[in-house]
Amino acid sequence: MKIKFLFPMLFLFVLSFSQKKWTLRECLNYAMENNLEISAEKINLENEKKNLEISKKDRLPSISGSMNNSANFGQNVILGTLQRNDNLSNNANLSANIQIYGNGKTRKTIEKANYDVEASDYNLQNIRNNITLQIIQNYLRVLLNKEVYKVNESSYHNAEKLYEKAKLTTKAGFTPFSVESEALAEVSRKKKAMQNSENEVKRTLFDLSVLLQLEDEENFDVDDILVSETRPRIIESATPYLDSAFQIQPVLKSALAQIESAKKQTEIVKTNLYPTITGNIGLGTYYFNYFNDNYTKSNSFFRQYYENFGQQISIGAVFPIFNKGITKLQIEQAKISESLAVNHFNRQKLLLKQSVKKAIFDANAGYQNFIAAQEVDKNSKLSLDLAEKSYAAGKISIYDLNMAKNNEISAESELIQAKYNYIFSMKLLDFYAGKNGDTE
């Protein structure tokens, strides 16, 4: 009885899950956690952090221990007499090495690793920002196509009503059969337009699901949120947006960190021109035992370990004299890497400047299109209202009425398009200015 009860519950659960509609925030959160490009950069960041830890460990001494055992068997001439020389030997050593002087190579390596971690972290932020923008843009496209679909759906239903009315008036003999035929043709055209807009909704939903890297694209849908419209305005100057973008955009911060990392690499290579001083401390002892007691009597293992215990301390220096000019070439190569890093920063700054200016141009053009589309939509609605009244009074034909309706639908669709284009342009500028990019 319990099993029979569970099946309907399971069905309802699966149905409710498949009908779930994603909000923009849910899409963004899911992408931040599951996007493979973001995950790859997270792994790269962890790798750079491990490199930093390794660099810091180089400041500590290296301590190692060893123990060796050996046994020899055979004859040998000892004191002029051929005797067996079977013996067992054992030795144990403990040593510690530390770099005393290396012209700051360890410190500079740590500093370089810090810049590499910083650059990787900014790269991660930049990837997240790009993914966020793509999701917002695709989400808005879905909402745009849904609104267009609603317009076409409403137009299709109105065409059906007009067709039903035309059938009645034709049957009653008030209008010719051509009116009914045109009304039916209009129903077909509106149905085709509605189906096309429905396919556009499905296509943009699919594009968004692919961007989110979802496994189940068929049951994916988004919530029809109310988009907060930005008050239309003309942007007079690009300077505030450029200043903000240059200061806060992670793509430039990453490029700056890469420049500093390249400079540190040059300093690290230059340390190879200077001597390196290392210190060593060692402890050791050994045990040796002849199996042939006729030759000598060996002391016990622990007694030998005690008596043979020794210590050592040493300081060594390595002076670079000649290495075929490789160090000089490595320094020149490191300086080339510096130039490449500076060039990369300049290119990224130029691309960012161009992107901001293009976004401002698109926003201003979008503003003008939006205002114009509002005017066209207003006049098209007025024209349609007059056309409907004239048609009802028999002053215009059904062809004129359909033309007025098509003009109104086209105007409304263009207004929706202009609205969403302008909204995304402003959201993009908000992003460059460091503001929240959500539409909710």
Side-chain angles (χ1 to χ4, degrees):
M1 191 68 178
K2 291 182 178 180
I3 296 177
K4 291 181 179 179
F5 175 74
L6 285 175
F7 277 111
M9 294 296 292
L10 181 61
F11 174 77
L12 288 175
F13 172 77
V14 174
L15 182 62
S16 63
F17 180 79
S18 64
Q19 292 175 341
K20 168 183 168 56
K21 291 189 176 184
W22 292 54
T23 64
L24 177 59
R25 175 48 54 192
E26 288 173 334
C27 291
L28 293 174
N29 290 341
Y30 182 86
M32 295 305 107
E33 294 297 327
N34 299 280
N35 183 271
L36 294 179
E37 190 176 357
I38 293 176
S39 299
E41 193 56 39
K42 284 181 180 179
I43 295 172
N44 185 59
L45 176 59
E46 288 302 316
N47 184 55
E48 294 296 344
K49 288 181 178 179
K50 292 301 178 184
N51 288 335
L52 176 59
E53 292 181 23
I54 292 172
S55 300
K56 291 180 178 179
K57 296 293 183 182
D58 282 341
R59 294 180 297 187
L60 302 176
S62 299
I63 302 174
S64 60
S66 64
M67 180 173 286
N68 297 305
N69 294 282
S70 64
N72 296 311
F73 302 94
Q75 292 183 337
N76 198 6
V77 176
I78 302 176
L79 299 178
T81 305
L82 184 65
Q83 300 182 32
R84 294 286 298 180
N85 188 24
D86 302 335
N87 63 76
L88 172 69
S89 65
N90 169 275
N91 64 76
N93 297 281
L94 182 66
S95 63
N97 295 280
I98 189 169
Q99 187 181 81
I100 299 175
Y101 174 77
N103 195 36
K105 185 173 186 178
T106 301
R107 173 180 54 80
K108 293 169 184 176
T109 302
I110 293 173
E111 292 173 352
K112 179 184 181 301
N114 269 315
Y115 285 122
D116 290 339
V117 170
E118 187 177 334
S120 182
D121 186 44
Y122 286 131
N123 285 337
L124 177 59
Q125 293 180 35
N126 186 52
I127 291 174
R128 283 174 170 165
N129 287 346
N130 291 336
I131 296 294
T132 297
L133 278 180
Q134 293 177 43
I135 290 175
I136 291 175
Q137 185 177 29
N138 280 268
Y139 200 101
L140 288 174
R141 284 175 179 168
V142 173
L143 298 183
L144 161 65
N145 288 325
K146 282 190 172 186
E147 285 201 32
V148 172
Y149 170 75
K150 290 177 182 177
V151 171
N152 288 323
E153 184 183 33
S154 175
S155 175
Y156 169 70
H157 293 315
N158 289 334
E160 281 187 322
K161 292 178 181 178
L162 183 61
Y163 170 63
E164 294 298 329
K165 182 178 179 181
K167 280 201 304 184
L168 294 176
T169 56
T170 301
K171 186 177 181 180
F174 295 114
T175 56
F177 182 73
S178 59
V179 173
E180 180 181 348
S181 299
E182 172 59 20
L184 180 60
E186 186 67 8
V187 170
S188 300
R189 288 191 290 266
K190 292 296 184 282
K191 184 177 182 180
K192 182 177 181 296
M194 182 181 69
Q195 291 173 341
N196 289 340
S197 59
E198 183 180 15
N199 289 332
E200 282 299 304
V201 172
K202 292 178 180 179
R203 183 185 63 80
T204 49
L205 279 172
F206 175 77
D207 291 342
L208 181 55
S209 67
V210 169
L211 180 61
L212 292 173
Q213 299 172 357
L214 297 177
E215 294 182 1
D216 183 15
E217 302 94 352
E218 294 181 359
N219 296 319
F220 176 70
D221 197 4
V222 299
D223 191 18
D224 299 336
I225 61 173
L226 178 63
V227 178
S228 55
E229 297 185 16
T230 307
R231 185 178 178 181
R233 59 188 176 90
I234 285 288
I235 299 171
E236 301 293 343
S237 173
T239 301
Y241 292 96
L242 287 173
D243 291 342
S244 297
F246 290 159
Q247 290 178 7
I248 67 175
Q249 286 303 309
V251 64
L252 289 188
K253 291 184 178 181
S254 174
L256 285 173
Q258 291 174 39
I259 292 175
E260 295 301 323
S261 176
K263 290 180 179 179
K264 287 299 174 183
Q265 180 60 33
T266 303
E267 294 179 12
I268 291 170
V269 176
K270 285 182 178 179
T271 60
N272 294 329
L273 297 173
Y274 297 87
T276 301
I277 300 176
T278 57
N280 175 271
I281 298 176
L283 305 174
T285 186
Y286 66 92
Y287 166 78
F288 190 87
N289 179 34
Y290 280 108
F291 293 143
N292 186 357
D293 290 342
N294 294 328
Y295 171 66
T296 182
K297 182 70 175 178
S298 299
N299 292 325
S300 66
F301 177 84
F302 290 105
R303 184 173 180 81
Q304 286 196 44
Y305 252 51
Y306 176 75
E307 292 177 349
N308 297 332
F309 179 73
Q311 310 87 36
Q312 69 169 17
I313 182 170
S314 64
I315 296 177
V318 177
F319 297 89
I321 298 176
F322 176 72
N323 70 338
K324 299 171 285 187
I326 292 177
T327 300
K328 182 180 178 181
L329 291 174
Q330 288 175 336
I331 292 173
E332 293 176 357
Q333 192 177 42
K335 289 183 177 179
I336 292 173
S337 297
E338 281 187 47
S339 300
L340 287 174
V342 173
N343 179 267
H344 174 69
F345 170 78
N346 291 332
R347 285 188 291 115
Q348 292 299 323
K349 188 174 183 179
L350 177 62
L351 288 173
L352 182 60
K353 181 180 179 180
Q354 292 172 345
S355 297
V356 172
K357 287 193 172 183
K358 181 180 182 301
I360 292 175
F361 176 82
D362 290 342
N364 286 336
Y367 163 80
Q368 294 172 348
N369 289 337
F370 183 63
I371 297 300
Q374 283 182 322
E375 187 70 18
V376 172
D377 182 65
K378 176 183 175 182
N379 293 330
S380 296
K381 282 183 169 57
L382 179 61
S383 176
L384 176 60
D385 182 60
L386 294 174
E388 288 176 341
K389 292 178 180 178
S390 298
Y391 179 74
K395 295 181 179 179
I396 63 173
S397 68
I398 191 171
Y399 301 100
D400 297 325
L401 176 62
N402 286 338
M403 182 180 294
K405 285 189 175 182
N406 291 333
N407 290 338
E408 194 277 330
I409 292 170
S410 177
E412 187 172 2
S413 299
E414 289 178 1
L415 176 61
I416 295 170
Q417 181 75 45
K419 179 184 75 171
Y420 278 97
N421 286 342
Y422 180 69
I423 289 174
F424 179 73
S425 297
M426 294 307 298
K427 294 300 177 185
L428 185 58
L429 286 176
D430 288 343
F431 160 76
Y432 287 130
K435 299 177 183 178
N436 190 354
D438 287 2
T439 63
E440 295 176 299

